[in-house]
Amino acid sequence: MQEPSIFTKIINGEIPSHKIYEDDKTFAFLDIYPITTGHTLIIPKVQVEFLWDLDDEYYTAVMNTARKLALHLRSELGVPFVGEKVLGTDVPHAHVHLIPFVQPHEFHGDQDMNAKPDHEALARLAERLKL
């Protein structure tokens, strides 16, 4: 049996998160090292390392949640674009990044993994964005 990923621990409530959406197959929360305001991660509730290895049911659920949240983020944040990234290199649990942006350079920005997360601001934003 594989070790639970940090995302599995978030789903199970063992690690806190700034959740904005959850259904029976997916879980979405704000990234604590956002590239832009509203940077969101969408994960399946099964621990599979790569998005492309999910079965059709979970893959479709992740993509449907991504679409629903992208439209919501675009509307709620007043941005013209929400980009989607699938990297699959940082956590061994399938996930999709949604990155709201105005200018293309914002979408291509890097995360500052050394920054101290502003959990108060993230909590306020999560309340605003919660579906």
Side-chain angles (χ1 to χ4, degrees):
M1 182 176 197
Q2 64 183 335
E3 256 323 282
S5 73
I6 189 170
F7 291 163
T8 296
K9 291 176 182 179
I10 287 171
I11 292 166
N12 293 337
E14 298 167 31
I15 295 175
S17 69
H18 301 285
K19 179 174 70 171
I20 64 169
Y21 180 79
E22 181 176 13
D23 61 29
D24 62 327
K25 293 192 175 30
T26 65
F27 192 99
F29 56 98
L30 296 176
D31 196 304
I32 62 170
Y33 302 107
I35 292 173
T36 63
T37 299
H39 179 173
T40 299
L41 295 172
I42 301 161
I43 56 178
K45 287 186 170 179
V46 293
Q47 186 172 320
V48 172
E49 185 169 4
F50 300 108
L51 185 70
W52 320 124
D53 293 332
L54 288 170
D55 67 25
D56 289 345
E57 188 177 4
Y58 275 93
Y59 179 84
T60 300
V62 168
M63 289 301 139
N64 284 340
T65 296
R67 180 177 185 272
K68 178 187 298 189
L69 288 177
L71 294 170
H72 178 66
L73 292 171
R74 189 174 67 185
S75 172
E76 188 64 34
L77 296 172
V79 296
F81 307 107
V82 176
E84 181 177 87
K85 287 185 183 181
V86 176
L87 301 172
T89 58
D90 47 348
V91 176
H93 190 130
H95 58 288
V96 171
H97 295 256
L98 292 182
I99 303 166
F101 67 99
V102 176
Q103 298 295 322
H105 73 274
E106 295 170 315
F107 176 72
H108 297 292
D110 292 321
Q111 292 179 279
D112 182 357
M113 303 301 272
N114 294 316
K116 184 174 186 227
D118 184 344
H119 288 288
E120 287 182 20
L122 288 166
R124 285 191 303 274
L125 183 60
E127 268 310 305
R128 176 178 164 202
L129 297 177
K130 197 167 282 189
L131 267 181

